[in-house]
Amino acid sequence: MTEGKWDEKFVVFLKKYYWDSILQLANNYPDQRSLEVDFYDLEVFDREIANELLFNPDEVLPSADNALQQIDLPVEKSLIDAKVRFTKVPNKIPNRDLRSKHLLQFVAIEGMIRKATEVRPKVLNAAFQCMRCEHVTMVPQNEVKFIEPVECENETCGRKGPFKILVNQSVFVDAQKLQIQESPENLKGGSQPQSLDVDIEDDLAGIVKPGDRVIINGVLRSHQRTTREGKSPFYDLVLHANSIEYMDLEFDELEISPEEEEQILALSRDPEVYKKVIGSIAPSIYGYDEVKEALSLQLFSGVAKHLPDGSRVRGDIHMLFMGDPGVAKSQLLRYMVKLSPRGVFASGKSASSSGLTAAAVRDDLGDGRWTLEAGALVMADMGIAAVDEMDKMSTEDKSALHEAMEQQTISVAKAGILATLKSRCALLGAANPKYGRFDRYEGIAQQINMPPALISRFDMIFVMLDTPNEDMDSRIAKHILKSHYAGELSEQRKNLPSSIITQEQVDDHMEVIKPVIDPDFLRKYVAYSRRNIFPVMEDDAREHLVKFYMDLRRMGEGKDAPVPVTARQLEALVRLAEASARLRLSNIATMEDAKRTTRIVYSCLRQVGVDPDTGAFDVDVIASGTSKSQRDRIKVIKDIIKMVGEKHPGGKAPLEEVYAEAQKQDIDRQHAEDLISRMRRSGDLIKPDKEHVKVV
């Protein structure tokens, strides 16, 4: 089949299937220069051309572009630079499976954008002017190296230069280089993710950024490597992009059809909507209704506010799970990442500060300059960043989270690059106690290996205890076994041809772990809410939050009373109330939302903000790691050591005398030993020998 025949067939195909799209392109041209064509439409029209596109794209793609550019339009407009972009290509090949047999084929590569260079003009047809006779020679450029004229085309001149490029007569196109990497969830075992360089041109340049998950369709080519010794026999693979498809979108970018919008509005009017959303979060995990309720509010988030002074108040809700091992913290984190359109999972031990924020790396795509590589928190912008094992992170890595959590930006000053990146994400963290299991009779900050300043930035902290309870243990065990049984039935039916298990049996048993709302629909429900709902709080709801806050603050009015809560907790109340209104698609946050919020926050404070010695609310337990009563006792012990030390030479106080005096002040020996140990660690005391202690 000749190229001319393809041109004619493509004209027929485009007029039959894409006439309306072509008219729209003509109206928007030259701002819009591409026509998206579904590969399956081409396959239905002519299977032979579709097959040729996959295996001989260099012959078929120009025909498609020619047909589009030459098509007769009812308006006086020429689509001279328009391109046909083919999408939904079936020839999808993982990066690691690309081989020499795929060269010059039309392939689809799926993955995450790891690097992207700046968009720069690239010369396609260079106009060279002879410096002697001023004759202009046009030289088409190839993909590998810059080509200059061998000699002047003017016969009367014939000189071999020098030449200069005339920019105004040369033909340029916007160009950019990308690096696409296998998505982390597609990796097998401990294999390293493989990357592929991508060349993109024209209107495709500049539309993707690091962290985007995409499918890039294009022609796979090879460029010969060059070494110091000369040309190498090895070739590097490069994909020349024809089209880019987004795999997962931010909440704001999810497409919702009119039918889905009707279903969304119907669900919002359901009086059981809260229960249904909670039942759709990690249904395979039994219980934790309060935790799942908080997670559902995190999905919907509060409203971000831009104030007249230029500052921004975050709307994202940060949460921390902490407690015993084996209580499904990691599973909850992974489920939320899966539910969020832009979710990123990182484990504290393996995540460095540059891996979480941003790293400065040498640009091996461009000319070797330093460029920024986005980390997990930047890639999770407008989504959820889940960080497991937060207690295992190093101190420098934890300090990198401070700015990202409160200001929701990441400031970078590395290798001469000064930049501020956006990280408007909700952080969902999980941590284990320092000594294995959680001790409910000791303060939270002593048991979590995290700076108090970081802990205080979380809106909600849930302590997840593994306490034996016959009734609860029995229900959890039955739920786990039902889940496993459903999985066993499904796997046997799928993998064993002789199995007598029916699909009805599988479906009946799967009901136990089936989400009430389908995850894809829930994602769209959340997207609709975040896009269209901006609640305003009613007066009585505001008064309820103020009263709750003031009642807790009032506990700290006495001279010796602890500070129960700070303004950060009040802001958390507002965010949660807004999220509660958004969950039922209401633009008004009512008293019901305020009460739901105070119930959840009170429960969190009850778990983590209570002084284990007095039972009173004390924000210092979270904020500084030492409660008011502990600070008072430290002062008493210090005074006792000073008093006893004055009676002995060198100010050395015998420990037994100190313990005896402490007993008279209602501080038992164990508490006194703990307090002295803490003061020694902080440098307030020294121990000259085993028997004595001395104030510094």
Side-chain angles (χ1 to χ4, degrees):
M1 190 179 279
T2 64
E3 192 173 318
K5 288 181 182 176
W6 274 336
D7 283 7
E8 290 172 19
K9 279 209 167 188
F10 267 115
V11 169
V12 175
F13 165 70
L14 293 174
K15 281 186 172 179
K16 183 177 178 181
Y17 285 84
Y18 290 93
W19 183 244
D20 290 343
S21 302
I22 290 169
L23 293 178
Q24 189 179 344
L25 172 65
N27 284 335
N28 298 333
Y29 189 84
D31 294 331
Q32 179 190 344
R33 297 192 297 281
S34 292
L35 176 71
E36 275 198 14
V37 170
D38 192 321
F39 180 86
Y40 292 103
D41 288 339
L42 182 63
E43 196 170 38
V44 169
F45 174 74
D46 190 317
R47 190 179 289 270
E48 187 186 353
I49 296 183
N51 203 48
E52 282 292 316
L53 172 62
L54 294 180
F55 295 101
N56 292 307
D58 285 336
E59 295 179 22
V60 179
L61 289 172
S63 281
D65 292 342
N66 288 342
L68 177 62
Q69 292 162 9
Q70 294 165 11
I71 212 159
D72 291 329
L73 296 170
V75 291
E76 288 187 19
K77 217 168 198 181
S78 170
L79 303 177
I80 192 65
D81 290 322
K83 301 280 182 188
V84 175
R85 309 281 184 199
F86 291 96
T87 59
K88 296 180 183 165
V89 176
N91 199 14
K92 195 180 284 187
I93 303 165
N95 275 6
R96 63 183 58 248
D97 293 340
L98 289 171
R99 298 291 181 267
S100 56
K101 65 181 181 182
H102 298 122
L103 285 172
L104 302 180
Q105 288 187 14
F106 198 72
V107 296
I109 304 293
E110 180 184 308
M112 178 164 49
I113 301 297
R114 183 167 162 262
K115 286 185 194 173
T117 63
E118 300 159 331
V119 178
R120 287 288 178 263
K122 172 186 168 185
V123 65
L124 294 180
N125 217 350
F128 289 94
Q129 186 180 49
C130 177
M131 299 285 281
R132 183 167 178 267
C133 69
E134 297 188 347
H135 178 79
V136 176
T137 303
M138 299 299 291
V139 181
Q141 300 296 311
N142 70 17
E143 297 291 337
V144 182
K145 65 176 184 177
F146 188 68
I147 303 171
E148 295 189 21
V150 178
E151 59 182 35
C152 180
E153 287 182 345
N154 186 356
E155 292 176 0
T156 59
C157 176
R159 287 288 184 93
K160 294 183 179 179
F163 298 95
K164 72 172 181 180
I165 290 185
L166 299 178
V167 174
N168 60 339
Q169 293 185 34
S170 299
V171 179
F172 288 89
V173 67
D174 288 331
Q176 185 183 26
K177 283 182 179 290
L178 306 175
Q179 202 169 69
I180 186 170
Q181 179 180 288
E182 291 173 290
S183 296
E185 58 269 21
N186 295 338
L187 294 180
K188 293 176 182 175
S191 55
Q192 185 84 0
Q194 295 197 6
S195 301
L196 176 69
D197 291 350
V198 182
D199 285 348
I200 54 176
E201 293 180 0
D202 207 12
D203 56 342
L204 294 181
I207 65 170
V208 295
K209 55 186 180 294
D212 287 347
R213 290 167 191 252
V214 294
I215 297 170
I216 302 183
N217 307 296
V219 183
L220 188 68
R221 302 188 188 281
S222 61
H223 292 171
Q224 190 171 17
R225 290 182 188 173
T226 52
T227 62
R228 289 177 186 173
E229 289 75 33
K231 290 183 177 179
S232 165
F234 290 95
Y235 281 69
D236 288 319
L237 294 176
V238 180
L239 184 69
H240 286 213
N242 172 263
S243 66
I244 298 175
E245 301 171 63
Y246 280 90
M247 274 166 58
D248 59 1
L249 306 167
E250 296 172 11
F251 278 123
D252 292 345
E253 295 170 350
L254 283 173
E255 287 185 15
I256 297 168
S257 67
E259 297 80 26
E260 287 169 333
E261 188 173 343
E262 283 178 26
Q263 292 174 335
I264 286 167
L265 295 172
L267 177 60
S268 71
R269 292 189 288 269
D270 188 334
E272 298 280 298
V273 64
Y274 285 97
K275 194 181 275 186
K276 286 185 175 179
V277 171
I278 293 165
S280 304
I281 292 175
S284 61
I285 298 167
Y286 184 80
Y288 293 133
D289 286 347
E290 207 163 57
V291 171
K292 290 179 182 180
E293 186 174 8
L295 285 171
S296 66
L297 296 183
Q298 186 186 42
L299 263 183
F300 286 84
S301 94
V303 180
K305 293 134 189 129
H306 298 272
L307 305 180
D309 63 354
S311 59
R312 178 182 179 275
V313 179
R314 70 175 164 94
D316 293 302
I317 297 163
H318 300 318
M319 282 175 59
L320 175 67
F321 297 150
M322 42 179 270
D324 299 327
V327 290
K329 299 188 296 293
S330 300
Q331 272 183 278
L332 285 167
L333 261 64
R334 287 192 180 277
Y335 197 88
M336 290 298 285
V337 165
K338 198 169 68 174
L339 213 50
S340 171
R342 181 169 281 191
V344 175
F345 184 91
S347 182
K349 192 69 179 167
S350 59
S352 64
S353 57
S354 56
L356 284 173
T357 54
V361 293
R362 281 208 180 274
D363 179 13
D364 51 359
L365 295 176
D367 52 8
R369 287 183 299 169
W370 287 92
T371 59
L372 284 181
E373 202 169 282
L377 295 176
V378 179
M379 288 184 175
D381 186 38
M382 303 299 285
I384 289 177
V387 183
D388 202 1
E389 309 283 354
M390 284 189 79
D391 52 307
K392 312 283 192 307
M393 290 166 67
S394 68
T395 311
E396 304 83 56
D397 300 343
K398 288 173 192 164
S399 64
L401 294 173
H402 288 210
E403 182 195 358
M405 287 180 73
E406 206 57 50
Q407 281 74 43
Q408 296 203 295
T409 57
I410 287 167
S411 301
V412 180
K414 297 177 181 178
I417 299 171
L418 297 174
T420 301
L421 307 174
K422 290 178 180 175
S423 65
R424 297 158 298 178
C425 62
L427 186 70
L428 180 57
N432 288 326
K434 195 186 290 184
Y435 304 113
R437 297 188 76 78
F438 195 82
D439 180 359
R440 61 191 312 166
Y441 299 108
E442 194 180 333
I444 167 184
Q446 293 87 29
Q447 300 188 63
I448 299 301
N449 190 19
M450 287 169 66
L454 183 61
I455 294 178
S456 69
R457 279 171 163 77
F458 286 99
D459 296 302
M460 288 183 287
I461 302 172
F462 284 95
V463 174
M464 300 169 80
L465 297 171
D466 181 15
T467 48
N469 177 311
E470 192 174 340
D471 180 44
M472 181 58 86
D473 290 348
S474 168
R475 280 184 281 169
I476 290 173
K478 284 176 181 171
H479 182 81
I480 290 170
L481 289 174
K482 280 180 184 174
S483 304
H484 276 273
Y485 184 61
E488 287 164 358
L489 292 175
S490 173
E491 288 302 310
Q492 191 183 103
R493 174 169 168 73
K494 191 164 62 179
N495 298 313
L496 205 65
S498 59
S499 174
I500 56 168
I501 295 162
T502 63
Q503 189 60 45
E504 290 75 25
Q505 283 176 285
V506 174
D507 292 342
D508 288 347
H509 286 88
M510 280 290 181
E511 283 296 317
V512 183
I513 50 173
K514 193 178 177 186
V516 183
I517 304 168
D518 179 72
D520 286 336
F521 181 69
L522 179 59
R523 204 178 284 126
K524 291 185 176 181
Y525 185 88
V526 174
Y528 183 88
S529 173
R530 288 175 67 141
R531 196 183 302 168
N532 301 301
I533 306 299
F534 298 91
V536 175
M537 212 175 293
E538 285 183 337
D539 291 343
D540 57 347
R542 270 207 313 276
E543 283 168 18
H544 177 77
L545 294 187
V546 170
K547 184 177 182 301
F548 177 78
Y549 174 69
M550 292 308 296
D551 286 348
L552 289 175
R553 288 287 291 182
R554 209 165 284 126
M555 294 180 189
E557 282 183 357
K559 183 166 73 75
D560 295 323
V563 179
V565 291
T566 63
R568 266 191 180 148
Q569 276 77 34
L570 180 60
E571 287 194 336
L573 289 169
V574 173
R575 282 190 277 271
L576 290 164
E578 291 168 350
S580 177
R582 276 182 153 184
L583 195 147
R584 62 171 200 284
L585 302 189
S586 170
N587 277 311
I588 297 168
T590 62
M591 187 63 147
E592 182 195 342
D593 299 311
K595 284 181 176 175
R596 178 176 290 106
T597 296
T598 52
R599 173 175 54 77
I600 296 171
V601 170
Y602 186 82
S603 166
C604 282
L605 286 172
R606 202 76 232 140
Q607 286 181 310
V608 298
V610 172
D611 181 345
D613 294 327
T614 64
F617 277 123
D618 186 353
V619 78
D620 289 350
V621 174
I622 302 173
S624 66
T626 309
S627 66
K628 173 78 166 61
S629 66
Q630 283 173 330
R631 281 204 312 276
D632 293 344
R633 285 176 178 177
I634 286 171
K635 189 173 181 298
V636 170
I637 290 284
K638 207 170 183 179
D639 291 343
I640 288 172
I641 294 169
K642 275 183 185 173
M643 183 190 73
V644 173
E646 285 169 3
K647 300 175 187 175
H648 296 274
K652 292 193 285 187
L655 280 170
E656 290 303 323
E657 283 187 43
V658 172
Y659 295 147
E661 285 294 328
Q663 197 85 39
K664 294 175 187 175
Q665 302 270 5
D666 293 329
I667 302 174
D668 61 42
R669 187 183 177 108
Q670 188 183 349
H671 267 94
E673 285 175 351
D674 287 346
L675 293 169
I676 287 172
S677 174
R678 181 174 297 181
M679 289 163 75
R680 277 185 63 210
R681 284 199 300 271
S682 64
D684 293 332
L685 297 179
I686 57 169
K687 215 173 175 186
D689 53 57
K690 285 185 179 180
E691 312 294 331
H692 296 83
V693 70
K694 181 182 176 183
V695 176
V696 175

